[in-house]
Amino acid sequence: MVGRDAEGRVMPFARRATSPDDPRIGKPPTGKVARSARLAAVPVAYAGRRIAGLGKRAVGRNAEDVERDIRTRTAEHLFQVLGELKGCVAKLGQLLGLLELGLAPDLAEPYRQALARLHDSAPAMLPGAVHAELAAHLGDEWRSLFLDFDDRAAAAASVGQVHRARWHDGTPVAVKVMYPGGRRAVLADLQVLRRATPLFTALLPGADTRPVIEALCDEIHAELDYAREAANQRAFALAFAADPDVVVSRVIAQRGDVLVTEWLDGAPLTRLIARGEAAELDRLGVLILRFLFSAPARAALVYGDPHPGNFLRMPDGRLGVVDFGACTPWPAAFLDVAGDVGAAVIADSPADLEAAIRRHGFVAPGRELDIATVAARLQPVRDALLAPTYPLSADWLREQVRLATDLRLSNVLRQLTMPPDHTPILRSFLGGVAVLCQLQTEVPLRAECTRWYPETAAAAGL
């Protein structure tokens, strides 16, 4: 089988390998055995490094240098594997890339460096596999749709990669192509996640974790539908078409597992973070907050995948936003919950707070609740809502992560649960907070609440 390159020259497509996990065509492993083996290799290699480290210390090497080397090599290995496996595992890597801010600085640095490469440089699908996928979904004459097409991947996603091209009318476009076998890999990961439900139940005995895990699995499964993603992006592009601060590119075409959108020629947020442009990062953080807060009011959708790889600084200073696969419909009833719980938080009334929490299903009926500790945990929310701006930082996030992950039985989170239909909101909230902490943003939370949800803000007493 042959095709033509960007110059019109005849070139062969890569042959189909006999195994879906054959690295010669750039596919991620999709079989459960292969994927499990890659993950299992990480702790085995870590144990080997620990044993080798004992020998290095025995011959006089500095213990801190040995420990730092072990952390660095383990981080590199872990996120190399996450990048190769793609699918849900790569999404886990993205989450870890945000929440590593909750680690102590000396522990986090190797992971921060490795994760930056995971976001931007996951192993690329080879040209032959890309061409085969384009032919399968756009037709054998797919090259006629483009004036030119760059075989080099411009960016990597969890279940696909993006190529730069020019549409037949001259429009610069981004062409997102799902990895061959990517859908099967994600479905295999979801089976593993579902089997892990008893573990979450053990950690959070007060929570009905099964419906929450099912809701999360349904969300991730829905992200495999590029037609749905195209519809989400069209809704956001329309909602933000006249926005002076945010730009969402138009959808040009979508067919099967290929999505073509306008190219956004901006600087990735990850690059700006590396440069440490404090004032600019704070400004962009405010725009990210505004985008996330206003999305339900303007597009009736929750943007579910906020992380630095999905935000760009455009040449004119606007915030560019990409990747709309994780968007879900906004549950309008959540505003009643927010107003009810928010009023108790603002009033600093533990009794009203407990009543609201129980009324809206955040604790199982009849279960005891340490409401004084719950109120203390929510104090930062109260402070952020009452102050003109509230500073978010890595240190702030580190303390919240420490409190949330405390495994002691006295941890109040073990008493709480969550209605499953709030899962998309929690996912967006956690990702958004982590990004804003990474940017060291002074958030004008009260102003954005009252601007986009004035009735809810009034009900809460703002």
Side-chain angles (χ1 to χ4, degrees), residues 126-138:
L126 299 180
V130 175
H131 298 168
E133 291 304 303
L134 291 171
H137 296 284
L138 301 182

Side-chain angles (χ1 to χ4, degrees), residues 310-331:
N310 284 343
F311 298 114
L312 309 169
R313 181 183 64 185
M314 303 302 292
D316 60 7
R318 288 184 297 170
L319 175 74
V321 186
V322 300
D323 198 343
F324 294 85
C327 303
T328 54
W330 169 246

Side-chain angles (χ1 to χ4, degrees), residues 99 101-103 396-406:
L99 296 184
L101 288 170
L103 299 174
W396 181 90
L397 180 62
R398 193 170 296 121
E399 176 62 12
Q400 306 313 309
V401 170
R402 185 189 67 79
L403 293 172
T405 57
D406 185 350

Side-chain angles (χ1 to χ4, degrees), residues 201-206 367-370 373 377 403-416:
T201 301
L203 293 173
L204 299 169
R367 185 174 181 83
E368 292 185 4
L369 181 64
D370 180 2
T373 301
R377 293 286 189 273
L403 293 172
T405 57
D406 185 350
L407 295 180
R408 287 179 295 181
L409 296 178
S410 58
N411 187 344
V412 73
L413 287 181
R414 294 172 59 86
Q415 302 171 5
L416 298 173

Side-chain angles (χ1 to χ4, degrees), residues 120 266-277 281 308 311-313:
D120 297 329
L269 204 60
T270 47
R271 188 185 307 164
L272 303 181
I273 292 171
R275 292 176 183 169
E277 302 177 14
L281 292 176
F311 298 114
L312 309 169
R313 181 183 64 185

Side-chain angles (χ1 to χ4, degrees), residues 82-422:
L82 292 177
E84 289 173 351
L85 293 181
K86 316 287 187 185
C88 296
V89 175
K91 288 185 179 296
L92 173 62
Q94 292 173 352
L95 180 61
L96 290 172
L98 298 173
L99 296 184
E100 53 85 19
L101 288 170
L103 299 174
D106 61 327
L107 294 175
E109 185 57 30
Y111 292 89
R112 182 176 298 116
Q113 294 175 2
L115 278 158
R117 288 189 287 278
L118 172 63
H119 284 311
D120 297 329
S121 305
M125 180 168 37
L126 299 180
V130 175
H131 298 168
E133 291 304 303
L134 291 171
H137 296 284
L138 301 182
D140 290 338
E141 302 301 320
W142 64 269
R143 286 195 178 276
S144 66
L145 298 173
F146 302 96
L147 294 181
D148 54 63
F149 182 91
D150 191 343
D151 283 342
R152 296 169 299 177
S158 53
V159 293
Q161 69 186 34
V162 178
H163 291 257
R164 191 165 188 168
R166 277 195 305 150
W167 197 238
H168 56 76
D169 64 0
T171 302
V173 294
V175 184
K176 186 175 180 180
V177 185
M178 188 179 294
Y179 295 110
R183 183 172 283 101
R184 184 154 62 95
V186 170
L187 295 179
D189 290 344
L190 292 179
Q191 291 181 6
V192 174
L193 182 57
R194 288 186 171 98
R195 287 198 295 269
T197 299
L199 172 62
F200 295 104
T201 301
L203 293 173
L204 299 169
D208 187 4
T209 56
R210 185 168 296 280
V212 175
I213 295 298
E214 283 297 328
L216 179 60
C217 289
D218 289 344
E219 279 187 57
I220 295 174
H221 191 186
E223 292 176 41
L224 301 173
D225 185 349
Y226 278 13
R228 177 178 176 273
E229 179 174 346
N232 293 338
Q233 187 159 343
R234 289 188 182 101
F236 272 93
L238 179 63
F240 287 85
D243 194 284
D245 297 316
V246 176
V247 57
V248 176
S249 63
R250 291 186 304 116
V251 174
I252 303 298
Q254 181 276 318
R255 299 177 192 172
D257 291 341
V258 176
L259 176 62
V260 183
T261 61
E262 286 181 316
W263 182 268
L264 291 186
D265 201 8
L269 204 60
T270 47
R271 188 185 307 164
L272 303 181
I273 292 171
R275 292 176 183 169
E277 302 177 14
E280 179 66 357
L281 292 176
D282 180 63
R283 184 187 73 84
L284 291 170
V286 173
L287 296 185
I288 291 172
L289 172 71
R290 185 169 302 149
F291 168 76
L292 295 175
F293 250 73
S294 66
R298 300 166 76 175
L301 291 166
V302 177
Y303 184 80
D305 201 9
H307 69 80
N310 284 343
F311 298 114
L312 309 169
R313 181 183 64 185
M314 303 302 292
D316 60 7
R318 288 184 297 170
L319 175 74
V321 186
V322 300
D323 198 343
F324 294 85
C327 303
T328 54
W330 169 246
F334 182 77
L335 291 179
D336 295 333
V337 179
D340 200 12
V341 175
V345 171
I346 296 298
D348 199 15
S349 170
D352 291 340
L353 179 60
E354 179 169 5
I357 285 175
R358 291 188 180 279
R359 188 160 48 246
H360 294 292
F362 290 100
V363 63
R367 185 174 181 83
E368 292 185 4
L369 181 64
D370 180 2
I371 192 60
T373 301
V374 173
R377 293 286 189 273
L378 291 174
Q379 189 63 38
V381 177
R382 183 175 187 272
D383 294 342
L385 286 169
L386 293 179
T389 62
Y390 185 82
L392 295 179
S393 66
D395 287 340
W396 181 90
L397 180 62
R398 193 170 296 121
E399 176 62 12
Q400 306 313 309
V401 170
R402 185 189 67 79
L403 293 172
T405 57
D406 185 350
L407 295 180
R408 287 179 295 181
L409 296 178
S410 58
N411 187 344
V412 73
L413 287 181
R414 294 172 59 86
Q415 302 171 5
L416 298 173
T417 188
M418 183 182 67
D421 57 346
H422 294 171

